[in-house]
Amino acid sequence: MPEPASSKELPANLLTDPVMIEACRARDFRRVFQLVKARAGIHPSMVARRCDLTPSRVGEVIAGRRQLQHMDVIERISDGLRIPGHMLGLARRPWETPQNPVVTPREQVEARDTVNEQMAAALSGANVDSILTLAADQELSPSALDALHSSITDYWRRDDQHGGETLRPALIGQLRYVVDLLKEQRPAPIRNGLHSIAAELARLTGWTHFDARQYNQARAYFSEALGLAKAVGDRQFMANVLACMSLQATYQDRPGDALALVTAALDQTRAAPGTTPRVLAMLSMREAFAHAALGNHSATHTAISEAHTHFDRIGSGDPDPPWVTYFDEPKLVVDTGIAHGRLGEASLAEPLIADALRREHQSNHRGRAFHAFWLARTQLQRGKLDEACLTAMDALASATTVSSRRVVGHLHEFHQQLEPYRREPAAVAFAARLREALPRQVSGSPRP
């Protein structure tokens, strides 16, 4: 006998419990399942039925012998247990109703509810959407694939300019759309193209989570991108995803993991025919970051040298993958400076970062904020307090135009580095401007 609809909802006090919120944020389903059993009376067998899982699989999760990372499974858990999508890093689920936490007068509430009801009535339901999707023409042409690739290029551009927080729901929706298309039989060229598009969408979604410092979600999407690229043998893209995971490991203070991941990326390119010098230059620079995080000066310098050697071999006719074209000369120069900065070699780092920052495109707000932070940090290391604070002001100005918790975390870190100079006028001015522009503190350290 089906359960009453009301029994599907979790208690409000459970969904607002900080322990539950943190468990969902970390996608710690062992803890989630334990909480719904203790607080909502939903036993493992019922969890299995609701989420379309086997009871043994649920039991393994609760026992700590299995982790759930596949996005389809996470979506089924969200839907089956009625956990709002945002708590698990997902887009709003079809069953969720719009919520507005702002308290308004009764008349305004009633008026808003009327508008919401009218909007809801004008839109088809989720089930109807699914039916219409099935009924739609599912034939794909090469031009349709080109259109999907173009949308990805536009997503990256907007991510650079504004951050990825508001893009993420659209990215996840388009990723699921492409994955659904892969369920149909397709000619090999179309199917391979869809795999490549899905892999890039998964990587970009992972990147938006990484930039928001939501590292567990980022890793899940990066892993999904890796699997999609592996399905069609795209070793260069697999290397690209592994390089992203390596960069994230440096932020999580896992330099050994960072080096292992980028080494695996380089191994993939060695097995991939036609790997371009630009791809090798980018990967060598990520290797330099990993060595610098380990404090290995000689290995860092060797990797930097290899990156420049590969970059010098770039030709105008090279068949570079679209995802690596961002790695131009200013990016090579600024990354070289950052690698030296990670080693504490401020005198080498400062002129390189300053030169690249002058040449960087004005619309790349996040990149400019990030690189200005590194310039300020190296200037502070060299004892140039006033100059460092002015540069940090520039970083702050760029940071206020883009949604990036990673950049905000760096700026708060710089503020902490000013502690020995907290009474100096330049430090006082920066602290005041920081409080004004970014009043909300970011917990933890971004581990640059």
Side-chain angles (χ1 to χ4, degrees):
M1 178 177 178
E3 297 172 312
S6 60
S7 69
K8 290 183 178 294
E9 306 298 331
L10 294 179
N13 61 359
L14 174 57
L15 291 174
T16 56
D17 189 315
V19 177
M20 181 65 168
I21 292 172
E22 175 58 24
C24 291
R25 186 198 65 77
R27 290 181 176 168
D28 181 357
F29 292 110
R30 177 173 183 266
R31 188 68 177 135
V32 169
F33 292 164
Q34 290 173 338
L35 287 168
V36 298
K37 177 184 177 183
R39 302 276 294 279
I42 302 176
H43 292 270
S45 59
M46 192 181 298
V47 170
R49 287 200 304 274
R50 288 190 177 191
C51 304
D52 195 20
L53 299 169
T54 62
S56 61
R57 192 174 186 184
V58 174
E60 289 174 354
V61 172
I62 294 175
R65 295 194 300 271
R66 178 189 286 270
Q67 293 184 340
L68 301 178
Q69 295 183 337
H70 198 282
M71 293 308 301
D72 287 345
V73 176
I74 295 171
E75 289 172 346
R76 294 206 304 269
I77 292 171
S78 174
D79 296 339
L81 297 180
R82 288 298 194 264
I83 299 174
H86 70 89
M87 294 181 67
L88 293 169
L90 304 173
R92 183 182 293 276
R93 308 306 299 152
W95 49 266
E96 291 187 65
T97 56
Q99 297 180 7
N100 189 340
V102 178
V103 178
T104 59
R106 181 176 179 179
E107 294 79 7
Q108 293 181 7
V109 172
E110 291 175 351
R112 187 188 67 241
D113 289 345
T114 300
V115 172
N116 287 342
E117 289 172 4
Q118 292 172 347
M119 291 176 61
L123 296 173
S124 59
N127 291 336
V128 174
D129 285 343
S130 299
I131 293 169
L132 293 175
T133 299
L134 288 173
D137 184 7
Q138 296 290 298
E139 292 299 322
L140 290 175
S141 64
S143 63
L145 298 187
D146 290 342
L148 288 169
H149 278 299
S150 297
S151 69
I152 293 172
T153 301
D154 186 58
Y155 282 137
W156 276 114
R157 178 184 58 79
R158 287 190 282 166
D159 175 68
D160 286 339
Q161 293 178 354
H162 310 295
E165 197 74 27
T166 57
L167 298 177
R168 193 180 303 134
L171 286 168
I172 293 173
Q174 193 159 26
L175 172 60
R176 296 301 148 225
Y177 168 72
V178 175
V179 169
D180 283 343
L181 291 176
L182 280 168
K183 295 175 182 177
E184 302 289 333
Q185 292 293 327
R186 309 279 179 190
I190 297 294
R191 186 169 184 81
N192 291 346
L194 287 173
H195 266 99
S196 297
I197 291 166
E200 181 58 48
L201 286 168
R203 183 181 78 101
L204 178 50
T205 305
W207 174 263
T208 66
H209 281 296
F210 164 63
D211 196 48
R213 294 174 27 164
Q214 298 168 352
Y215 297 138
N216 288 336
Q217 292 93 324
R219 189 179 184 90
Y221 279 101
F222 286 150
S223 298
E224 186 171 359
L226 199 61
L228 287 162
K230 185 176 181 180
V232 290
D234 190 345
R235 292 183 176 274
Q236 283 196 82
F237 194 80
M238 290 173 66
N240 183 27
V241 177
L242 288 166
C244 290
M245 298 175 83
S246 173
L247 182 63
Q248 177 175 313
T250 64
Y251 273 76
Q252 294 182 278
D253 199 21
R254 297 174 180 170
D257 290 355
L259 183 58
L261 288 163
V262 77
T263 300
L266 288 165
D267 287 343
Q268 289 293 330
T269 59
R270 294 187 185 101
T275 300
T276 65
R278 194 183 303 271
V279 171
L280 293 172
M282 182 272 288
L283 293 175
S284 294
M285 192 55 70
R286 292 289 172 85
E287 183 185 14
F289 285 175
H291 285 303
L294 286 165
N296 191 329
H297 286 244
S298 62
T300 302
H301 292 166
T302 298
I304 290 173
S305 177
E306 290 176 353
H308 283 257
T309 298
H310 290 307
F311 196 88
D312 289 342
R313 293 172 180 163
I314 292 174
S316 58
D318 289 344
D320 285 321
W323 45 260
V324 79
T325 53
Y326 80 96
F327 197 80
D328 53 12
E329 186 177 4
K331 182 60 175 171
L332 172 73
V333 171
V334 77
D335 280 0
T336 301
I338 291 173
H340 285 299
R342 288 175 185 270
L343 290 174
E345 299 171 343
S347 60
L348 293 174
E350 182 189 356
L352 293 171
I353 300 173
D355 176 56
L357 196 54
R358 282 191 294 270
R359 294 192 282 166
E360 193 162 24
H361 201 282
Q362 293 291 330
S363 65
N364 185 4
H365 299 302
R366 182 182 51 218
R368 292 188 64 82
F370 179 66
H371 299 148
F373 154 76
W374 270 103
L375 179 58
R377 176 173 168 164
T378 57
Q379 289 168 338
L380 186 63
Q381 288 174 342
R382 301 190 71 185
K384 302 177 179 180
L385 176 62
D386 291 351
E387 195 172 346
C389 289
L390 285 173
T391 302
M393 292 280 198
D394 292 338
L396 188 56
S398 295
T400 56
T401 65
V402 66
S403 174
S404 173
R405 294 185 189 177
R406 185 168 57 109
V407 169
V408 172
H410 282 307
L411 288 168
H412 283 290
E413 181 197 352
F414 180 78
H415 179 239
Q416 293 167 5
Q417 292 169 349
L418 290 176
E419 178 62 22
Y421 315 97
R422 63 184 182 277
R423 299 186 187 280
E424 297 293 332
V428 171
F430 174 76
R433 182 71 184 96
L434 181 65
R435 284 192 299 271
E436 176 188 346
L438 302 171
R440 295 183 61 186
Q441 297 292 315
V442 176
S443 62
S445 169
R447 304 299 306 182

